[in-house]
Amino acid sequence: MLRALVLGSAAGGGFPQWNSAGSGCRRARAGDPAARPRTQTSLAVTADGERWALLNAAPDLRAQIEANPPLHPRPAPGAVRHSPIAAVVLTGGEVDGIAGLLTLRERHAFALYAGAPVLAVLRDNPIFNAVNPAIVPRRALPPGAPVLLADAAGEPLGLRVEAFAVPGKVPLFQEPPDGADPGRAEAGETVGLALRAAAGGPTLLFIPGCAALTPALRARIAGADTVLFDGTLWRDDEMIRAGAGPKTGARMGHMSLDGPDGTLAAFRDLPVRRKILIHINNTNPVLLADSPERAAVEAAGWEVAEDGMEITL
């Protein structure tokens, strides 16, 4: 059995975002039950209910751990330090997916898995040496090669993961300083993850960032039990219209939900048992339970992820 906890479901900045006075963020701050707050995207998965692997490490990780009792430390004879977190798997090098690693710097042993481009980001930024590689081994996650996850000591976690390349972009801090478009990246800078229990069973796909649904990606998704997919923006020019930024969704490496080339249209004929939107930007009206856009995605068979959502396969 595979069990997943949605620790965070929002895009970078969370919902409400700290510097946003948008209508949705104002409603969230006011406690509107139709505008539930969300932290930045991360999942926790387990096969045995005891040892957990994190999928991405959001800046909000400390609060996410405190909000989810299965991730709390447990007392042990002769020791006050403990964590059920045994591994972290990264899908990219953006700040909202790796900054939480610094929360895990307190000499706790776990295994860190990532593709070569992301391992290079960690290697080239010495602040991440605070998560001591002598205690936290960094392990390559090559695309297309199933890997049995293990903890820092090499003990299997009962989870199998396979990374696969997804159209995306380089992290924001690696873009040209003049703001020029770096173009689409498809060499492992962004990956999706296929997870299942090592003993077998249904597959969960985690794809929090995706710039286009290629034929290869469609083939990968077809027949999956559950897909958590990039729901960043409702429309491509959403942030420009809202006065929240100068970039389109495509420029940021994300498909939009609406439109003839959007996610809803692209998934219309894909056989997937359960479809869940995740990594949702604070400008996206699907965050509002009473919006027509929320009604549209639900009519198309999608769920909108919320912090604390639990998924069992």
Side-chain angles (χ1 to χ4, degrees), residues 3-219:
R3 179 183 174 197
L5 294 176
V6 177
L7 305 182
S9 51
F15 180 67
Q17 183 170 295
W18 71 277
N19 65 342
S20 174
S23 60
C25 289
R26 294 199 309 271
R27 289 177 62 178
R29 288 193 186 96
D32 186 334
R36 293 185 58 179
R38 289 164 166 82
T39 58
Q40 294 165 91
T41 291
S42 181
L43 258 65
V45 295
T46 185
D48 61 12
E50 297 294 326
R51 297 171 302 166
W52 294 78
L54 303 184
L55 310 185
N56 291 342
D60 310 300
L61 183 55
R62 181 188 175 280
Q64 292 172 344
I65 290 171
E66 292 304 308
N68 288 275
L71 301 184
H72 290 181
R74 304 181 190 116
V80 296
R81 301 294 179 104
H82 169 269
S83 174
I85 296 171
V88 176
V89 187
L90 303 176
T91 66
E94 290 285 7
V95 169
D96 55 314
I98 65 174
L101 291 173
L102 299 176
T103 298
L104 305 178
R105 68 189 183 278
E106 308 294 348
R107 298 187 63 81
H108 171 68
F110 62 93
L112 178 58
Y113 291 86
V118 182
L119 291 177
V121 166
L122 302 180
R123 182 192 65 228
D124 294 343
N125 287 268
I127 192 172
F128 288 103
N129 288 334
V131 186
N132 189 344
I135 299 171
V136 178
R138 300 177 182 181
R139 297 173 181 163
L141 192 65
V147 171
L148 293 174
L149 296 183
D151 64 16
E155 291 295 321
L157 301 181
L159 294 167
R160 189 187 76 170
V161 62
E162 182 179 348
F164 50 91
V166 171
K169 74 171 190 67
V170 298
L172 179 61
F173 56 82
Q174 290 185 333
E175 291 189 8
D178 62 2
D181 187 349
R184 187 179 294 176
E186 300 189 60
E189 293 86 353
T190 302
V191 301
L193 301 174
L195 293 112
R196 65 187 300 184
T203 298
L204 179 148
L205 298 183
F206 180 57
I207 311 172
C210 182
L213 202 63
T214 63
L217 188 52
R218 288 182 62 87

Side-chain angles (χ1 to χ4, degrees), residues 268-289:
R268 190 170 293 131
D269 60 349
L270 272 175
V272 177
R273 186 185 71 84
R274 188 176 184 188
K275 302 177 292 187
I276 304 171
L277 296 172
I278 199 163
H279 193 271
I280 306 163
N281 196 59
N282 68 89
T283 57
N284 191 335
V286 303
L287 287 173
L288 306 175

Side-chain angles (χ1 to χ4, degrees), residues 216-295:
L217 188 52
R218 288 182 62 87
R220 167 74 66 171
I221 292 170
D225 184 88
T226 301
V227 177
L228 291 107
F229 194 80
D230 184 353
T232 306
L233 299 177
W234 172 253
R235 55 183 299 158
D236 191 53
D237 62 351
E238 177 178 307
M239 292 186 65
I240 298 171
R241 284 172 170 257
K247 297 177 183 177
T248 64
R251 169 64 178 81
M252 295 187 294
H254 298 287
M255 295 176 66
S256 54
L257 294 173
D258 195 26
D261 298 318
T263 299
L264 299 188
F267 270 78
R268 190 170 293 131
D269 60 349
L270 272 175
V272 177
R273 186 185 71 84
R274 188 176 184 188
K275 302 177 292 187
I276 304 171
L277 296 172
I278 199 163
H279 193 271
I280 306 163
N281 196 59
N282 68 89
T283 57
N284 191 335
V286 303
L287 287 173
L288 306 175
D290 55 2
S291 70
E293 292 84 1
R294 172 70 75 89

